[in-house]
Amino acid sequence: MIVANLYHIKNTNGLFYYGLDYLRENLDLVRLILVRPSMENQVRAALPRSNVIVCSISRYVLEFSRAAWRHDLLYTPTSHPIPGISRQLIVLHDSYPFEVGAISTLKLLLLRWSLSLSRCRVAYINCTDAKPFLVKLGVPNQRMIFAPNKFPPPAVRIPSVDATAGPTTVGLLGTDSKKKNYECLFAAVRLADLSSRLVFRVYGHQSTYFRDLCQQFPDLRIQLAKSDEVSLDQFMNYVDVLASAAEREGFGRPIASALLSGLPVELLDRPVFREFFSGGANFHTTIHMLVGALASHSGKRLQTAYSPPAHVVDAYVTANYEIRQLGSASLN
C-alpha cells in the first residue's frame, strides 16, 4: 500500500497539483494521506474519498514510522527523504532551492545526509536540471525514476477576433519566490518605457515576495489573481499572452495548459523550457527581447496548437506503473 506524504506542501502550488495527478492514478493503493492543518480542506476537496490524516509534527513522525513498520511505500512528491526508510519515493522538481538563497547550503547538506541514510528511490521531473543535479549528488541510476508532470488539459478559452486598442494584459505565473525573476522583468519594462502599454496579471497567492514587488514597482500595473479563488481557465481568459522570465523552473503546468489552448507564450530560452515546450512557445535569449515581444500582443489571438513531447507523455505512464509496482509489493 501507499502512504502519501503531502506534509511539506504548504499551498495549492505546482507541487500540490503534481502530487494529485500521481495519487489519482493510484488511488486504489493509497492507504492514507498525510497533510498539515492548513491543507486539509484542499486535499479533501481534491480527493474526497481518501483517508486524510491531519498531522502535527508528533503525529507526522508516528504515521511515517507506522508506514515503515507495515512496509508501505511512503510516496513524497517533494524533496524530503526521511532518513532510515528505504521504502520511500521522493521527487526532485528542480535544483534551485539547494543552490540559491540564504539557507540553500543547509538544505543541500540535509538532502545529502537524508539520502545517504536511506536507500529510497528518487524521481526527477525533468532531464535538463533535476537529473544532472541528482547525478552530481551521487544518486545511482538504479535508484532514479523519470517521473515528469502529467500534461494538463488545454485551458478552456473563449477566442475573440476583436483586437482592443488598450494595453496588453500579460499573464505571469506564481508568487512564491525570487525564482520567478519578476524584478528583472519589471526593470526591463521600465527601461523599455512600456509601463503604459502593459498590464501584469499574476496567478498565485498573496505573499511577502508579491507585496515587495508591488512596493518596488508602483508605476507598473501589477494585479494578483488568487489561485484559490480564480480558476486557471478564468485566468487564461483575462490575459492576451502568457510569459515567464524564470531562470530555473522545474516544469510549468499552466504554461503547458496555455500552449495546448493556443494562447501565445513568451519565454526565456532556458533548457527546461526547451525540454517541454519546443514547438509551441516563443523563446528569447534575453529579458529585454522577451519584453519587446510582449508589447506586440493584443486581443485574444490563437496560435498554432501545440503537442506535448511523446517521450514525456510515455514517461508519465511508465512512472505510474513503477509506483504501482512499488506500492503493490507491500501487499505480497
Side-chain angles (χ1 to χ4, degrees):
M1 298 292 286
I2 297 172
V3 170
N5 175 18
L6 307 189
Y7 183 78
H8 299 280
I9 297 178
K10 300 177 182 178
N11 55 51
T12 53
N13 53 19
L15 304 178
F16 175 75
Y17 291 107
Y18 174 94
L20 288 185
D21 283 336
Y22 275 91
L23 290 179
R24 286 183 176 124
E25 300 280 357
N26 301 283
L27 209 53
D28 57 310
L29 292 176
V30 175
R31 186 190 301 276
L32 49 90
I33 303 174
L34 310 181
V35 301
R36 59 181 59 218
S38 61
M39 290 298 294
E40 177 185 6
N41 293 338
Q42 293 90 328
V43 174
R44 289 191 187 279
L47 302 170
R49 292 183 295 277
S50 299
N51 183 15
V52 177
I53 305 296
V54 180
C55 294
S56 60
I57 293 178
S58 58
R59 181 66 184 272
Y60 176 56
V61 172
L62 175 64
E63 292 298 340
F64 73 64
S65 300
R66 285 174 171 172
W69 181 78
R70 291 191 301 260
H71 301 288
D72 287 342
L73 172 68
L74 187 63
Y75 170 70
T76 304
T78 58
S79 51
H80 296 90
I82 296 172
I85 298 180
S86 296
R87 282 191 49 76
Q88 62 175 318
L89 171 65
I90 69 160
V91 181
L92 180 76
H93 292 259
D94 60 84
S95 61
Y96 181 89
F98 307 101
E99 296 182 339
V100 180
I103 60 172
S104 59
T105 300
L106 175 60
K107 289 181 177 180
L108 180 59
L109 288 172
L110 288 173
L111 180 62
R112 285 183 182 273
W113 176 73
S114 300
L115 288 173
S116 68
L117 294 179
S118 76
R119 297 182 58 81
C120 69
R121 304 291 297 275
V122 186
Y124 55 93
I125 75 165
N126 61 64
C127 297
T128 50
D129 173 72
K131 184 178 182 180
F133 178 73
L134 290 176
V135 171
K136 188 168 64 174
L137 283 179
V139 179
N141 191 61
Q142 61 267 27
R143 284 175 57 188
M144 291 194 283
I145 299 173
F146 181 30
N149 286 68
K150 178 181 182 181
F151 272 80
V156 179
R157 298 178 60 243
I158 303 173
S160 172
V161 296
D162 298 325
T164 65
T168 297
T169 301
V170 180
L172 301 175
L173 304 162
T175 57
D176 55 347
S177 75
K178 290 187 176 182
K179 178 174 70 171
K180 301 300 179 182
N181 207 25
Y182 294 147
E183 295 94 336
C184 292
L185 176 68
F186 294 154
V189 171
R190 270 182 179 169
L191 186 63
D193 196 22
L194 290 173
S195 57
S196 64
R197 295 176 58 185
L198 300 173
V199 174
F200 295 95
R201 190 167 173 81
V202 190
Y203 194 63
H205 304 85
Q206 188 63 259
S207 67
T208 300
Y209 176 55
F210 182 78
R211 285 190 291 269
D212 288 347
L213 284 169
C214 293
Q215 292 175 0
Q216 188 178 351
F217 297 93
D219 52 316
L220 271 59
R221 286 171 287 184
I222 306 171
Q223 306 167 355
L224 178 65
K226 295 182 179 180
S227 56
D228 286 335
E229 300 175 5
V230 179
S231 72
L232 191 57
D233 287 347
Q234 291 171 327
F235 174 76
M236 297 293 187
N237 276 284
Y238 281 96
V239 301
D240 301 312
V241 56
L242 208 65
S244 176
E247 298 274 2
R248 308 282 293 274
E249 286 287 9
F251 175 61
R253 182 175 174 271
I255 294 173
S257 182
L259 286 172
L260 290 167
S261 74
L263 181 69
V265 174
E266 307 288 346
L267 303 173
L268 278 185
D269 194 351
R270 297 298 180 262
V272 170
F273 286 153
R274 282 283 185 183
E275 180 178 351
F276 296 114
F277 306 131
S278 290
N282 302 310
F283 296 97
H284 305 278
T285 54
T286 69
I287 287 182
H288 299 287
M289 294 173 65
L290 188 155
V291 166
L294 295 179
S296 67
H297 293 278
S298 62
K300 297 181 176 64
R301 297 188 295 109
L302 293 177
Q303 65 178 30
T304 304
Y306 154 82
S307 297
H311 75 280
V312 176
V313 176
D314 292 342
Y316 174 77
V317 175
T318 301
N320 273 293
Y321 174 78
E322 292 198 45
I323 290 173
R324 290 195 68 82
Q325 293 296 104
L326 291 170
S328 298
S330 61
L331 299 175
N332 300 326

